Amino acid sequence: MKKEIANYEILETISENGPVSVYLAIHKILNRKTLLKVHHSDDTKLIKRFEEEARIVADLDHPSIVAIYDYGRASQNEFYISMEYVEGGNLNSYLENHDLTIDDKIKLCYQIGNCIKVIHQHGYIHRDLKPQNLLVDKEGFVKLTDFGISFHESLKRTTPDGKLLGTPLFMSPEQINNLPVTKQSDLYSLGVIYYQIFSESNPFDAPNFGEIFSRILSFCPEDLSKVMPETPDWFSKLTNSLIEKEAANRPESIQKVTSIFEQNIQMENGNNDSGKVIKRKFNFSYFLVPILIIFSVVFYFKQFNKIETKSDLSDSLSTLSSLQDSLKQNPVNTNNITETDSSKVNIPITENIENTPNNQIQQSEKRETKFFINTYPWCRVYLNYKLIDTTPLKDSIIVKPGKYLLGLQNSGYPSWSDSIEINKNMTNIFSYNLDSIFYKLELTVQPWGKVFIDGDYYGTTPLNKPIVLSKKNKTLLIENQYYNSYTDTLIWDGQPVISKNIILNEKIKN
């Protein structure tokens, strides 16, 4: 580990993710602790993204956003951003270490919403909202960080080259399908965070990315008020609206979301409400602390005439690019396969995979070979979660030999993944028929019922389309509060479509 970088003494290594290292450091002159993100690369594309992150953080300049202190070039291929160090931890660790009441959680969610409001008011879309990027200080104040894959809404872009960016458990359906990302995509991720804060689990959690994506695209989580009965109805309805599959069905803006908080906090707490307490924290202290700092800095400079050496932000930013989350751990190498740990599905999928050094593919096999895939029906084809092409392919795909995780996506089916090995010196051909992998369940229930399969909620009948399932045996449960519950084991009988007509028995009245 380096002892010094530019004017900073390194105290501790927080994380190392490919070309990006994150340190706890201290400024040698000002004696101020800082979070130092260092980018080691000569890749102009990555440097440009690093620059963009610095620009965004500098542009936001708000107490709800982790602040930027300094930026510079330490050596030929070494760039750094010095940012505010928040003593405390991320949202996950805060929830684990604090026994919060329902009111405490509501206030916490309101603060998180205000963080999002700041970036949306400036026209930015975060694209990677998750508990790890929300820092909570010792006073319980929330700050948003990591703008490595953020962009301004005026660009109206999808992910370059079809590469998935974000963290799977918190990605919106449109992100998974590589459709244009909007502010409503951030609202979806916000809704998942809200759901997790109250239910203490992520509704889309699954052993692998394929199943996570499938659940995000097709699974409807149960109402929070049923998972956690103490949850206020208004908050449960708000969370449900945030995690709607269609972006158009979500709230039109973050302002609408925070206004719902303010209206209901006022109603529940009267004149001396928590909303006002929160607002005081967001106003008075923000002005007092910066004023004191300004006077202290002016006095210091006059007395000692020592000026901190800073890089010229406007001149230097043209040579930088974005970086990974300072608190991300266990990066996925999306060019080359790694064994997926099913207990660690909260893994970022990012664009700078080519520079990640810990590749587990056989490095001795340098020669490229051909890979071809046939599917029915059409599918998006992913290798290690990186979009390669869409079938039917026009030509073979050139890849390095080795082991890969193949992913197939079609909007009418759950996502499918398979481990494959691509051999050198030959054309590797793979064929998949989704109709032979999945079957469709056509379900009718009289009079009506809530449908659960293996404990997952699929909706209330009448369903608007068949349920697509893998061929493993599953447990079907139908619930209606006025009728006896119905349970059955779903066993695939070899047919592509299975129809079930269920008549519920009325409960016997005492």
Side-chain angles (χ1 to χ4, degrees):
M1 182 183 77
K2 278 194 170 187
K3 297 259 180 103
E4 292 184 357
I5 294 176
N7 289 318
Y8 299 90
E9 178 185 347
I10 304 302
L11 303 178
E12 178 186 344
T13 300
I14 295 176
S15 68
E16 292 181 334
N17 183 11
V20 176
S21 299
V22 182
Y23 305 105
L24 173 61
I26 189 167
H27 195 281
K28 291 185 289 186
I29 298 175
L30 296 182
N31 199 34
R32 177 179 61 193
K33 282 187 178 180
T34 183
L35 194 71
L36 195 67
K37 294 187 176 184
V38 182
H39 191 282
H40 320 268
S41 176
D42 57 358
D43 188 316
T44 56
K45 188 175 181 180
L46 298 180
I47 293 170
K48 186 176 180 181
R49 287 191 57 203
F50 197 55
E51 167 192 347
E52 186 62 21
E53 177 176 12
R55 287 183 187 276
I56 291 173
V57 178
D59 185 35
L60 290 172
D61 189 22
H62 191 278
S64 293
I65 308 300
V66 172
I68 184 172
Y69 291 148
D70 191 12
Y71 157 81
R73 183 172 188 166
S75 63
Q76 180 66 26
N77 296 319
E78 190 173 62
F79 307 89
Y80 67 87
I81 301 175
S82 171
M83 297 199 298
E84 175 185 6
Y85 172 65
V86 179
E87 290 197 44
N90 64 39
L91 179 60
N92 278 341
S93 62
Y94 182 78
L95 294 172
E96 290 172 2
N97 297 321
H98 293 78
D99 186 17
L100 302 180
T101 65
I102 294 296
D103 286 345
D104 291 334
K105 291 180 179 180
I106 291 291
K107 294 175 186 177
L108 187 65
C109 290
Y110 177 59
Q111 282 200 71
I112 295 170
N114 275 297
C115 292
I116 312 308
K117 183 160 70 173
V118 171
I119 67 171
H120 283 191
Q121 285 176 334
H122 284 75
Y124 292 108
I125 300 169
H126 192 280
R127 288 206 296 178
D128 196 19
L129 294 175
K130 58 182 178 179
Q132 290 86 343
N133 288 340
L134 291 159
L135 306 182
V136 188
D137 67 17
K138 292 181 178 180
E139 303 300 321
F141 186 71
V142 181
K143 290 175 177 280
L144 179 62
T145 188
D146 188 14
F147 295 85
I149 62 173
S150 303
F151 70 95
H152 199 275
E153 63 179 339
S154 60
L155 298 178
K156 301 288 184 185
R157 69 186 181 195
T158 58
T159 305
D161 304 323
K163 297 176 183 176
L164 291 176
L165 293 181
T167 302
L169 280 173
F170 299 90
M171 289 172 68
S172 64
E174 56 268 26
Q175 281 178 283
I176 293 173
N177 289 322
N178 196 35
L179 298 173
V181 174
T182 66
K183 290 177 178 178
Q184 274 63 39
S185 306
D186 278 352
L187 295 188
Y188 181 90
S189 302
L190 179 66
V192 179
I193 293 171
Y194 284 175
Y195 197 101
Q196 183 166 310
I197 289 174
F198 273 76
S199 69
E200 300 180 359
S201 65
N202 189 297
F204 306 111
D205 199 358
N208 58 65
F209 291 140
E211 290 185 46
I212 290 172
F213 293 153
S214 177
R215 288 174 68 85
I216 290 172
L217 293 172
S218 60
F219 172 66
C220 298
E222 192 170 10
D223 285 358
L224 262 182
S225 56
K226 295 181 180 178
V227 177
M228 183 71 66
E230 299 88 353
T231 306
D233 286 341
W234 67 266
F235 183 82
S236 180
K237 291 178 182 177
L238 172 61
T239 302
N240 289 343
S241 68
L242 289 169
I243 57 176
E244 283 280 353
K245 305 299 182 190
E246 296 293 333
N249 295 333
R250 299 170 205 151
E252 65 268 19
S253 68
I254 187 62
Q255 286 83 356
K256 176 65 175 177
V257 174
T258 54
S259 70
I260 292 173
F261 275 94
E262 290 158 4
Q263 293 166 9
N264 285 279
I265 288 174
Q266 247 180 357
M267 290 172 60
E268 292 174 4
N269 296 281
N271 293 329
N272 187 25
D273 63 87
S274 57
K276 291 184 179 179
V277 173
I278 293 172
K279 289 177 185 178
R280 283 198 294 269
K281 188 167 187 177
F282 275 94
N283 290 308
F284 178 71
S285 62
Y286 289 173
F287 290 103
L288 178 60
V289 174
I291 290 171
L292 292 175
I293 292 173
I294 291 170
F295 277 106
S296 299
V297 172
V298 171
F299 178 80
Y300 177 83
F301 284 170
K302 284 186 177 181
Q303 291 293 106
F304 301 100
N305 197 28
K306 293 182 180 180
I307 302 176
E308 175 185 359
T309 302
K310 295 186 177 180
S311 302
D312 187 342
L313 183 60
S314 60
D315 291 338
S316 304
L317 283 175
S318 61
T319 59
L320 292 181
S321 75
S322 70
L323 70 162
Q324 305 297 322
D325 174 17
S326 63
L327 300 176
K328 287 174 184 171
Q329 297 177 349
N330 304 315
V332 171
N333 299 323
T334 56
N335 270 352
N336 303 304
I337 188 66
T338 60
E339 292 298 320
T340 302
D341 182 350
S342 62
S343 67
K344 298 176 181 178
V345 295
N346 187 11
I347 303 176
I349 299 176
T350 55
E351 197 173 303
N352 58 353
I353 51 178
E354 291 80 5
N355 296 277
T356 305
N358 299 321
N359 295 330
Q360 296 183 17
I361 193 170
Q362 300 173 4
Q363 294 293 337
S364 61
E365 297 182 343
K366 300 294 185 181
R367 298 181 61 182
E368 293 183 331
T369 188
K370 292 183 178 181
F371 159 79
F372 194 86
I373 182 169
N374 298 301
T375 71
Y376 177 84
W378 68 269
C379 286
R380 293 189 182 94
V381 180
Y382 295 83
L383 285 183
N384 295 349
Y385 312 108
K386 176 182 175 181
L387 181 62
I388 301 299
D389 206 338
T390 300
T391 60
L393 301 181
K394 294 181 179 179
D395 200 358
S396 298
I397 300 168
I398 306 299
V399 296
K400 292 181 180 179
K403 294 181 178 179
Y404 290 85
L405 187 63
L406 171 70
L408 301 177
Q409 278 192 357
N410 178 300
S411 57
Y413 298 79
S415 297
W416 173 257
S417 61
D418 191 17
S419 296
I420 63 172
E421 184 166 359
I422 299 177
N423 299 305
K424 61 180 178 179
N425 301 327
M426 62 180 293
T427 299
N428 298 264
I429 301 176
F430 299 86
S431 297
Y432 294 87
N433 185 338
L434 295 189
D435 284 341
S436 67
I437 298 172
F438 301 99
Y439 71 95
K440 295 180 179 179
L441 174 64
E442 294 182 343
L443 192 63
T444 57
V445 178
Q446 298 180 31
W448 61 269
K450 295 182 178 180
V451 181
F452 297 83
I453 299 177
D454 284 348
D456 295 335
Y457 176 65
Y458 280 79
T460 300
T461 62
L463 302 175
N464 57 13
K465 60 181 180 181
I467 300 172
V468 181
L469 301 170
S470 62
K471 294 176 180 178
K472 296 179 181 178
N473 291 351
K474 299 179 182 296
T475 301
L476 171 67
L477 170 65
I478 308 294
E479 288 188 342
N480 182 319
Q481 65 187 94
Y482 305 107
Y483 292 79
N484 293 323
S485 296
Y486 173 91
T487 58
D488 192 14
T489 300
L490 296 173
I491 301 175
W492 181 59
D493 63 1
Q495 300 299 315
V497 179
I498 295 178
S499 298
K500 292 185 75 70
N501 184 19
I502 299 168
I503 301 176
L504 300 179
N505 295 319
E506 192 171 358
K507 289 181 179 178
I508 300 175
K509 297 180 181 180
N510 295 327

